[in-house]
């Protein structure tokens, strides 16, 4: 507790910012250890939240039998034993007996053995006569009840004990080498006891209680309701900070000088009239949203997401045509060569009649320009604007001018070849990668082009509010009406012959099929070899039909040829690695067989499956997986989810849950501040609240000059510095 020697009372903010090593009572060596653990200041330690709580107001009774849920028990060590096995293996047992709250042994309760293998330090910590708090799952071993490798704490016979460590809901904090949860608990308790009033990181009216009280209750709650209420405030505070960070990051782009890149829409109209299908409602909505952005001088920074096959490409091309009509170039960047080429071919087919010049530019090959007559851009643009069909046709016929208006390529497009001098719109068609770097490279030019990012799969709301929180979002939540259904069946390897018979039957009726399998080996040589071996097998299976092999190591020209033959139905089966994952579109192919399916990620499987069901034929996806006994619970879960639903939004959520919170924000890559207490999956509603509030406050005052909250402003300044250093 603070002694009279302590300096005069300091403000709450200064107290929170105090380095632990400057506290008189803090053991210097421990302060150094904590610093290595990432805890430097008082606030760092006070926001080091418990990973769980033990209700030590009333311990569990010593169990007579196994339990699924861990128990938290307290008892006295009545004997210890060490045993050494052959070699270096070593076992330590501490047998404990239940005691009453004041330490009287309860002779009637069963004894429990706490057992450790090869953990030498435990032997030095535990001796007969000590009292222990033990947490773990009891297992029956013969006639004994054993808890293997329990978490435990030695109950010290001092006065502090009862008030801090026992007879309450007790926090258990994440610990590290040389620092025990017990030490952390004692230090945090001591800090909380002297914590002055501290300014809330939440704006006025949002917090349910003073910040200091929330911190106290988060570590040492009176009861579960108090914990719940405190947690709400702290999660909100954390989310609010994150959302401000996102607002600031967004402002970095939006406040750059941009310009409008939007034509009147005649070219767009001509294109849409030419399409063999009407746009879906969702597509219309997305085009309208993008159009609004293009027409505004504020730089567009928009995300377009939707399920596989929801028709993102048509939306992107519509946007590109608006920019072209306004006299700018538009570029589309695809994640792979194959995909870039496919887009190019489609675009060429659609754009040639409109007289739009299009070029393909990828890293590994020279620029290829569509067989397009060259003509006078300005006159052409004017003809488009005025809707003068005759003049437009005449100009196309005559030809003049040079630069392509639409450029399709891989991401290399950004870095290689002649710079696109007149770029008005960049569309980034990416897989799952978040393209932060590409976006940064684009938005560093002046004037900034408008940027549209497309993802291959839908993005759960949790992520559109965080990882993609600095983008405006358009969602394609509707599939084109003519889609055939995809039936998905997960079967173990013994059913492979049936699956093959089924596929052959469909091939005989004129359909085509994909066979996909994962390659785990990363070495180029081995990959090619494994792929080739696998392929031989399949070729024999489907002979005399034509079967071709596609994998990442095949040279681009050859790949093109292979894809071309499959598209034209000159080959009937495509055996492939995941290179077909992205965007490949062959409507006549209606069956996909995926081998070793459990090795793929859930979202990836859904993405793969999206290669079929593109035409009007009923489609099938057969997932061949390991025998049920060899499947992990996660693997089973994946297979069941895919069989149950083909809704990409549901699958994306399930995928996030399977991968767990650590993987979700991938903090380093995303540049977002790490979360200490909030759960992006579980606390979506709080995130929404925090987001709305942050946006409102930020819009009212981009500097966020909250005079009553200096601390807050300092944070924002730091945040911005961090953003700038990341972007450059
Ligand atoms: P994704 O969103 O997965 O990228 P694509 O843009 O590749 O989907 O579109 C998938 C297929 O659906 C393409 O063949 C495309 O031409 C077609 N398509 C797009 N929009 C529609 C629509 N409104 N009606 C019918 N088919 C459409
Ligand atoms: Mg696509």
């Amino acid at each position: 507790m603070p002694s009279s020697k302590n300096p005069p009372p300091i403000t709450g903010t200064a107290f929170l910012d105090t380095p632990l090593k400057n506290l008189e009572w803090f053991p210097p060596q421990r302060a150094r250890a904590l610093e290595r653990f990432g805890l430097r200041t008082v606030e760092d330690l006070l926001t080091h939240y418990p990973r769980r709580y033990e209700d030590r107001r009333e311990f569990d009774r010593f169990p007579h039998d196994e339990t699924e849920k861990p128990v938290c028990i307290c008892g006295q060590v009545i004997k210890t034993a060490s045993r050494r096995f052959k070699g270096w293996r070593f076992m330590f047992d501490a047998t404990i007996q239940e005691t009453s709250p004041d330490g009287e042994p309860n002779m009637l309760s069963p004894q429990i053995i706490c057992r450790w293998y090869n953990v030498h330090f435990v032997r030095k910590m535990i001796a007969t006569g000590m009292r222990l708090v033990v947490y773990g799952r009891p297992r029956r071993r013969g006639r004994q009840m054993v808890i293997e490798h329990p978490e435990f704490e030695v109950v010290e016979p001092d006065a502090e004990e009862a008030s801090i460590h026992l007879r309450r809901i007790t926090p258990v904090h994440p610990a590290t080498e040389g620092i025990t949860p017990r030490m952390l608990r004692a230090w945090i308790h001591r800090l909380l006891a002297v914590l002055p009033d501290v300014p809330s990181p939440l704006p006025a009216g949002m917090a349910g209680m003073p910040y200091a009280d929330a911190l106290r209750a988060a570590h040492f709650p009176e009861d579960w309701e108090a914990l719940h209420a405190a947690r709400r405030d702290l999660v909100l505070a954390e989310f609010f900070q994150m959302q401000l960070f996102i607002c600031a990051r967004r402002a970095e782009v939006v406040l750059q000088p941009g310009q409008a890149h939007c034509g009147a829409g005649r070219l767009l109209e001509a294109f849409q009239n030419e399409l063999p299908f009407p746009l879906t409602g969702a597509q219309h909505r997305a085009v309208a949203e993008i159009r609004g952005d293009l027409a505004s001088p504020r730089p567009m920074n928009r995300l377009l997401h939707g399920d596989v096959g929801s028709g993102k490409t048509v939306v992107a091309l519509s946007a590109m045509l608006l920019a072209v009509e306004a006299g700018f170039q538009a570029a589309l960047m695809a994640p792979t060569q194959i995909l870039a080429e496919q887009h190019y071919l489609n675009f060429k087919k659609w754009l040639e009649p409109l007289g739009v010049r299009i070029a393909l530019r990828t890293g590994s090959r020279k620029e290829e320009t569509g067989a397009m007559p060259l003509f006078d851009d300005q006159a052409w643009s004017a003809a488009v604007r005025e809707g003068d069909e005759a003049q437009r046709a005449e100009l196309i016929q005559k030809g003049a001018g040079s630069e392509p208006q639409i450029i399709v390529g891989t991401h290399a497009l950004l870095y290689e070849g002649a710079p696109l001098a007149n770029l008005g719109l960049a569309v980034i068609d990416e897989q799952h990668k978040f393209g932060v770097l590409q976006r940064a490279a684009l938005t560093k030019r002046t004037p900034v082009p408008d940027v549209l990012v497309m993802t291959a799969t839908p993005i759960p709301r949790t992520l559109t509010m965080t990882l993609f929180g600095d983008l405006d979002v358009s969602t394609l939540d509707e599939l084109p009406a003519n889609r055939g259904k995809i039936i998905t069946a997960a079967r173990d390897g013994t059913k492979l012959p049936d699956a093959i018979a089924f596929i052959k039957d469909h091939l005989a009726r004129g359909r085509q099929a994909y066979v996909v399998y994962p390659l785990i080996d990363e070495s180029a040589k081995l990959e090619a070899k494994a792929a080739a071996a696998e392929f031989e097998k399949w070729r024999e299976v489907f002979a005399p039909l034509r079967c071709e092999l596609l994998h990442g190591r095949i040279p681009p020209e050859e790949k093109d040829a292979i894809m071309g033959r499959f598209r034209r139905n000159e080959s009937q089966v495509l055996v492939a690695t995941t290179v077909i994952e992205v965007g490949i579109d062959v409507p006549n192919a209606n069956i996909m067989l995926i081998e070793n399916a459990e090795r793929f990620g859930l979202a990836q499987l859904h993405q793969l499956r999206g290669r079929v069901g593109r035409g009007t034929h009923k489609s099938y996806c057969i997932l061949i997986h390991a025998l049920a006994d060899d499947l992990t619970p996660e693997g089973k879960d994946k297979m069941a989810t895919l069989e149950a639903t083909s809704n990409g939004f549901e699958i994306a959520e399930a995928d996030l849950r399977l991968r767990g919170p650590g993987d979700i924000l991938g903090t380093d890559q995303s540049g977002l501040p790490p979360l200490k207490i909030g759960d992006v999956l579980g606390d979506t509603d709080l995130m929404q609240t925090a987001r709305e509030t942050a946006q409102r406050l930020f819009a009212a005052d981009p500097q966020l000059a909250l005079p009553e909250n200096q601390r807050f402003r300092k944070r924002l300044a730091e945040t911005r510095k961090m953003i700038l250093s990341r972007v450059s």
Side-chain angles (χ1 to χ4, degrees):
M1 299 296 118
S3 70
S4 54
K5 281 187 297 183
N6 274 0
I10 49 176
T11 67
T13 303
F15 181 70
L16 287 181
D17 287 340
T18 309
L20 294 168
K21 62 171 189 252
N22 294 4
L23 297 173
E24 229 173 89
W25 54 269
F26 211 95
Q29 201 190 340
R30 305 288 189 208
R32 280 194 295 278
L34 283 181
E35 191 157 349
R36 282 195 297 277
F37 191 39
L39 306 175
R40 194 182 65 84
T41 64
V42 169
E43 183 172 34
D44 291 342
L45 194 50
L46 289 182
T47 55
H48 185 62
Y49 298 110
R51 79 190 144 82
R52 61 183 182 85
Y53 300 83
E54 288 180 359
D55 194 344
R56 298 188 184 171
R57 292 171 300 188
E58 197 157 354
F59 286 103
D60 290 318
R61 301 305 309 269
F62 272 41
H64 287 267
D65 223 324
E66 302 198 352
T67 62
E68 257 331 289
K69 251 183 67 188
V71 293
C72 180
I73 54 180
C74 182
Q76 187 150 35
V77 180
I78 53 174
K79 68 177 180 217
T80 65
S82 334
R83 196 141 36 109
R84 201 166 281 286
F85 300 105
K86 238 193 259 150
W88 52 274
R89 265 171 69 80
F90 160 80
M91 183 178 95
F92 176 70
D93 276 357
T95 306
I96 56 173
Q97 171 124 58
E98 195 170 53
T99 56
S100 72
D102 32 300
E104 282 301 306
N106 174 1
M107 295 307 198
L108 293 176
S109 93
Q111 295 175 353
I112 299 267
I113 297 177
C114 301
R115 176 168 292 166
W116 288 267
Y117 293 100
N118 299 327
V119 188
H120 289 268
F121 72 88
V122 173
R123 184 173 43 161
K124 297 189 197 115
M125 291 172 72
I126 295 180
T128 306
M130 282 178 171
R131 275 179 80 201
L132 301 182
V133 174
V134 171
Y135 177 86
R137 269 169 46 186
R139 287 283 164 260
R140 183 164 285 290
R141 295 280 179 266
R143 300 170 60 192
Q144 297 169 321
M145 292 304 296
V146 178
I147 305 185
E148 286 179 357
H149 292 259
E151 290 185 37
F152 75 101
E153 221 173 283
V154 177
V155 177
E156 304 284 351
D158 62 29
E160 227 186 39
E161 192 63 41
S163 65
I164 301 180
H165 304 285
L166 290 177
R167 305 226 176 113
R168 61 156 73 242
I169 297 176
T170 309
V172 180
H173 295 91
T176 180
E177 211 182 313
I179 306 280
T180 64
R182 193 187 158 84
M183 293 176 191
L184 288 164
R185 191 184 304 133
W187 293 328
I188 290 171
H189 191 270
R190 184 155 182 185
L191 288 173
L192 288 171
V194 296
L195 181 66
D197 259 357
V198 280
S200 173
L202 281 172
M206 222 182 164
M209 66 184 83
Y211 187 45
D213 289 354
L215 286 173
R216 282 192 196 97
H219 292 284
F220 295 97
E222 291 290 330
D223 50 42
W224 299 113
E225 283 92 75
L227 175 62
H228 188 77
R231 187 179 177 280
R232 177 201 166 271
D233 268 26
L234 296 172
V235 170
L236 256 185
E238 189 170 62
F239 284 176
F240 181 67
Q241 299 274 344
M242 176 187 258
Q243 288 301 333
L244 274 182
F245 176 100
I246 289 167
C247 287
R249 180 146 85 180
R250 181 183 143 86
E252 301 292 335
V253 175
V254 170
L255 300 178
Q256 275 176 293
Q259 62 193 107
H261 303 109
C262 195
R266 289 187 193 277
L267 193 51
L268 176 65
E269 217 172 280
F271 162 64
Q272 291 183 351
N273 288 338
E274 196 198 321
L275 282 175
F277 45 75
L279 295 199
T280 64
Q283 283 172 320
H284 273 301
R285 230 175 11 252
V287 171
E289 284 162 359
I290 295 167
R291 195 169 181 164
D293 287 355
L294 288 171
S296 145
R298 187 176 65 85
M300 171 167 84
N301 205 15
R302 183 172 286 276
L303 171 75
L304 174 65
H305 73 131
D307 208 342
V308 223
S310 56
K312 291 179 283 280
T313 318
V314 168
V315 174
L317 189 51
S318 302
M320 293 167 91
L321 290 175
L322 285 169
V324 165
E325 187 185 336
F328 294 96
Q329 288 178 308
L332 180 121
M333 278 151 286
T336 65
Q337 177 112 1
I338 291 190
L339 201 57
E341 286 161 15
Q342 178 183 286
H343 281 317
Y344 172 70
L345 291 175
N346 275 333
F347 285 11
K348 211 159 94 167
K349 187 177 71 199
W350 284 327
L351 299 184
E352 234 155 52
L354 302 175
V356 177
R357 292 190 308 279
I358 167 167
L360 175 69
R361 194 199 272 182
T362 62
S364 58
R365 59 154 69 189
K366 288 199 306 286
E367 184 161 317
E368 177 187 313
T369 307
M372 199 63 43
L374 301 171
F375 55 84
D376 182 344
D377 260 6
Q378 300 217 318
W380 178 89
S381 270
V384 167
R385 268 198 298 277
E386 279 142 35
D388 189 335
E389 292 296 323
Q391 198 196 350
R392 187 159 62 91
E394 188 195 333
L395 281 163
I396 293 170
Q397 194 103 62
K398 250 188 6 221
S402 56
E403 285 291 298
Q405 293 156 297
I406 284 185
I407 302 99
V408 179
T410 55
H411 292 160
L413 182 57
L414 278 182
Y415 312 104
E416 292 165 21
L420 304 171
N422 191 27
L423 186 64
L425 169 65
V427 181
I428 307 177
D429 183 8
E430 53 197 346
Q431 212 175 344
H432 301 289
K433 296 176 205 99
F434 301 128
V436 177
L437 288 177
Q438 278 100 352
R439 260 192 279 156
L442 276 169
T443 47
K444 261 200 300 198
R445 331 154 140 251
T446 35
V448 207
D450 284 322
V451 177
L452 181 68
V453 181
M454 301 197 287
T455 64
T457 49
I459 303 190
R461 200 160 73 100
T462 292
L463 293 193
T464 57
M465 287 194 291
T466 52
L467 207 49
F468 297 94
D470 56 336
L471 306 179
D472 293 312
V473 178
S474 293
T475 306
L476 295 184
D477 50 7
E478 185 184 346
L479 290 182
N482 63 348
R483 282 298 137 78
K485 202 170 150 40
I486 305 180
I487 294 167
T488 300
R491 299 284 184 269
D492 67 48
T494 61
K495 300 293 191 316
L496 187 60
D498 297 349
I500 290 173
F502 182 82
I503 297 174
K504 280 181 167 171
D505 186 39
H506 278 266
L507 294 175
R509 286 189 247 158
R511 302 284 85 75
Q512 289 165 280
Y514 298 100
V515 173
V516 187
Y517 58 96
L519 279 180
I520 313 125
D521 218 302
E522 264 137 44
S523 116
K525 232 168 150 181
L526 283 177
E527 175 175 334
K529 220 168 117 189
E534 191 74 15
F535 173 61
E536 275 315 309
K537 214 178 73 191
W538 287 107
R539 186 149 67 177
E540 276 166 35
V541 165
F542 292 115
L545 289 176
R546 186 153 178 190
C547 196
E548 293 219 66
L549 171 67
L550 190 71
H551 62 76
R553 309 288 169 191
I554 292 178
E557 292 75 27
E558 217 173 301
K559 246 188 241 170
D560 281 0
I562 293 168
M563 273 319 298
R565 286 193 290 273
F566 190 66
R567 219 174 262 132
R568 293 188 300 271
N569 198 2
E570 291 165 19
S571 65
Q572 287 71 45
V573 180
L574 195 64
V575 178
T577 60
T578 51
V579 289
I580 61 155
E581 183 182 347
V582 274
I584 300 293
D585 189 26
V586 181
N588 189 48
N590 73 327
I591 302 193
M592 172 172 286
L593 179 132
I594 304 179
E595 273 210 283
N596 298 111
E598 73 276 8
R599 295 196 196 158
F600 293 98
L602 191 49
Q604 197 182 16
L605 286 167
H606 178 65
Q607 178 66 23
L608 279 167
R609 174 170 66 175
R611 298 308 111 220
V612 294
R614 307 214 133 213
T616 43
H617 306 290
K618 195 166 179 183
S619 296
Y620 304 89
C621 175
I622 307 168
L623 305 167
I624 299 289
H625 57 76
L627 293 177
D629 286 350
D630 299 333
L631 272 186
T632 59
E634 196 200 25
K636 281 187 188 139
D637 208 350
K638 272 194 289 200
M639 297 302 119
T641 305
L642 285 162
E643 280 189 316
T645 178
S646 51
N647 178 325
F649 286 88
E650 282 172 27
I651 287 175
E653 291 265 355
D655 188 41
L656 271 190
R657 269 174 222 288
L658 275 178
R659 282 188 289 153
D663 204 44
I664 293 176
L665 293 182
T667 310
D668 278 353
Q669 199 197 8
S670 69
L672 292 175
L675 291 175
K676 288 179 141 193
I677 189 169
D679 167 9
V680 284
L681 280 172
D683 297 317
T684 319
D685 290 346
L686 290 179
M687 185 67 91
Q688 179 74 31
T689 309
R691 181 166 176 78
E692 281 160 12
T693 311
Q695 282 174 342
R696 186 162 41 75
L697 292 179
F698 198 84
D701 175 11
Q703 297 306 312
L704 245 167
L706 301 178
E708 77 283 6
N709 206 339
Q710 291 295 325
R711 173 173 190 72
F712 199 75
R713 211 182 329 171
K714 190 178 110 201
R715 283 287 169 75
L716 193 67
E718 278 165 16
T719 302
R720 287 206 164 154
K721 243 187 4 224
M722 208 162 105
I723 300 163
L724 286 175
S725 69
R726 268 172 213 279
V727 169
S728 53

